[in-house]
Amino acid sequence: MSWAQVHPTGGRHDNIPQGRNSHTMTLYKHSIFIYGGFIGGIHPNASNLSPTAPSLKDLNTLWEFSLIRRTWRPIHLTGVKLPGLNSHSASVIRNKLILASGWDNDIFEKVATTYQINLSTFQSKELSPLPCAIAEHCSFVFKSQLFIFGGGALEEMNEGDLLKLETIYPSSSSYPYSYVSSSSS
């Protein structure tokens, strides 16, 4: 077993995403989707942003890498304008990419927001927020449920809380989060 670099075929060099940290990468069908992050060693809550550094706000583009064609393309989203996020989580349920919480690069704060991107239509919308703002957490999908654990919290939620988002109502824009277990109990 060994690692190898994957090189895109064809295309222009300006049609690839910028290198980044604290982004997410998810798989849907035969494509990888990358969202968010920040550039190099610059963290969004740093007070010494270089005027020559790329804007953190530019990292709100969804990128697709086709594993079949081995090509990158930026995805134009319709619907709600998404902020640049980093240290968030991303999970796919059916054909929906769920982006949860993290640092909002536009306001340099942790947020509790949750967004959904339909990977068939590339329409985005905002869902119910988490109980509090967290970042650097992990998420996974089981059946139609999204689970989130850990991360740094700013409010009442403990870092050891396990949250569940039930998504069995696909037409609803308001998926409610609930606590599965709490480290404070």
Side-chain angles (χ1 to χ4, degrees):
M1 186 176 354
S2 64
W3 290 96
Q5 186 171 357
V6 177
H7 296 282
T9 58
R12 303 180 324 239
H13 281 283
D14 62 341
N15 206 29
I16 61 173
Q18 294 174 281
R20 58 195 66 206
N21 300 309
S22 299
H23 57 285
T24 53
M25 181 170 72
T26 52
L27 176 69
Y28 175 67
K29 293 187 178 180
H30 301 290
S31 291
I32 295 169
F33 290 91
I34 291 179
Y35 188 82
F38 62 92
I39 304 293
I42 301 171
H43 195 273
N45 62 352
S47 59
N48 58 347
L49 293 177
S50 165
T52 60
S55 169
L56 292 172
K57 294 179 183 180
D58 292 339
L59 296 180
N60 67 344
T61 303
L62 180 68
W63 284 86
E64 177 185 13
F65 182 77
S66 167
L67 294 168
I68 305 291
R69 294 183 309 275
R70 289 182 33 197
T71 55
W72 285 104
R73 72 177 180 130
I75 302 297
H76 174 72
L77 299 174
T78 60
V80 173
K81 182 180 181 327
L82 303 182
L85 297 171
N86 75 78
S87 302
H88 59 289
S89 65
S91 300
V92 175
I93 300 177
R94 294 177 300 279
N95 66 331
K96 308 292 192 295
L97 174 62
I98 310 291
L99 304 173
S101 210
W103 283 92
D104 183 324
N105 294 340
D106 294 341
I107 58 174
F108 306 121
E109 291 180 6
K110 286 182 187 176
V111 292
T113 53
T114 305
Y115 298 95
Q116 171 188 288
I117 300 171
N118 181 317
L119 295 175
S120 300
T121 64
F122 297 115
Q123 183 169 16
S124 58
K125 66 181 180 179
E126 190 167 349
L127 303 177
S128 293
L130 278 85
C132 76
I134 59 172
E136 301 169 3
H137 54 283
C138 292
S139 66
F140 73 92
V141 172
F142 178 71
K143 298 184 180 179
S144 64
Q145 300 166 331
L146 173 68
F147 290 84
I148 292 179
F149 181 79
L154 293 177
E155 298 168 15
E156 69 280 349
M157 191 174 106
N158 288 307
E159 294 177 355
D161 289 344
L162 179 62
L163 293 172
K164 174 180 72 172
L165 177 65
E166 183 59 65
T167 65
I168 59 171
Y169 308 104
S171 62
S172 172
S173 63
S174 181
Y175 298 133
Y177 279 94
S178 62
Y179 285 96
V180 176
S181 69
S182 176
S183 61
S184 62
S185 49

